[in-house]
Amino acid sequence: MPSELNVIQKSQFIELAVKLATNNVVSGTGGPFGAVIVKDGVVIATGVNCVTASNDPTAHAEVVAIREACKALGSFQLEGCEVFASCEPCPMCLGAIYWARPSAVYYAATQADAEAAGFDDSFIYRELATSPDKRALKMVQLPCPNATVSFDSWRSMATKVKY
């Protein structure tokens, strides 16, 4: 079992995430977000916000770092890893982090700090708590007789990889 990082190491990794975020802005490459993924005290991946540079709304720093870390580990999960983010993760990144299953997440700036800079995730948090038929984005479930066939197939598959 890996030993837990000490306070000095955690400070170094969170400072690296903030430095990546700042450099991303100063270089004109993207938004003010950076992420570092660490396993056993070693950086295995980093990411910066590339949304506008790549025209990919999912290219947030944490998602970019998760993709790189999973490639490096040859796994779709980040077991035993820790995520260091320059800012509290947005709803999308938080979902990706939960799916990746790291052991911990540390962040520097807060949602309120991001909102003050023009990044307001509170709308999405409110939408998640609203029933689909009352959300700002039209969401309609369409009848489909075969809607759950893929789930039935999944449940009966002996060779499935659970996640």
Side-chain angles (χ1 to χ4, degrees):
M1 180 173 194
S3 61
E4 180 154 334
L5 298 174
N6 64 43
V7 174
I8 294 171
Q9 289 172 308
K10 288 176 185 174
S11 293
Q12 291 170 339
F13 294 132
I14 202 71
E15 287 176 21
L16 175 57
V18 171
K19 182 177 180 179
L20 289 168
T22 304
N23 289 346
N24 201 42
V25 172
V26 172
S27 70
T29 308
F33 303 96
V36 176
I37 299 182
V38 175
K39 183 168 183 148
D40 299 328
V42 176
V43 174
I44 60 167
T46 63
V48 293
N49 180 285
C50 303
V51 170
T52 57
S54 64
N55 292 321
D56 178 356
T58 69
H60 289 203
E62 296 91 336
V63 172
V64 171
I66 288 169
R67 289 174 182 159
E68 293 304 313
C70 287
K71 283 181 199 171
L73 295 173
S75 174
F76 59 89
Q77 294 186 340
L78 299 178
E79 185 178 331
C81 294
E82 296 174 309
V83 177
F84 294 83
S86 63
C87 186
E88 186 175 358
C90 76
M92 178 185 70
C93 292
L94 189 58
I97 289 166
Y98 271 101
W99 280 117
R101 294 178 173 84
S103 59
V105 177
Y106 304 94
Y107 58 91
T110 66
Q111 285 181 43
D113 297 323
E115 185 175 355
F119 298 91
D120 185 8
D121 298 332
S122 61
F123 168 74
I124 298 171
Y125 281 108
R126 285 192 308 274
E127 286 288 290
L128 289 172
T130 302
S131 65
D133 62 322
K134 292 185 172 59
R135 291 182 180 155
L137 176 63
K138 183 177 181 177
M139 295 186 79
V140 179
Q141 182 182 17
L142 295 176
C144 179
N146 300 320
T148 61
V149 170
S150 60
F151 294 124
D152 297 336
S153 297
W154 174 259
R155 278 190 287 273
S156 66
M157 190 171 118
T159 59
K160 67 179 163 251
V161 176
K162 294 182 181 181
Y163 59 98

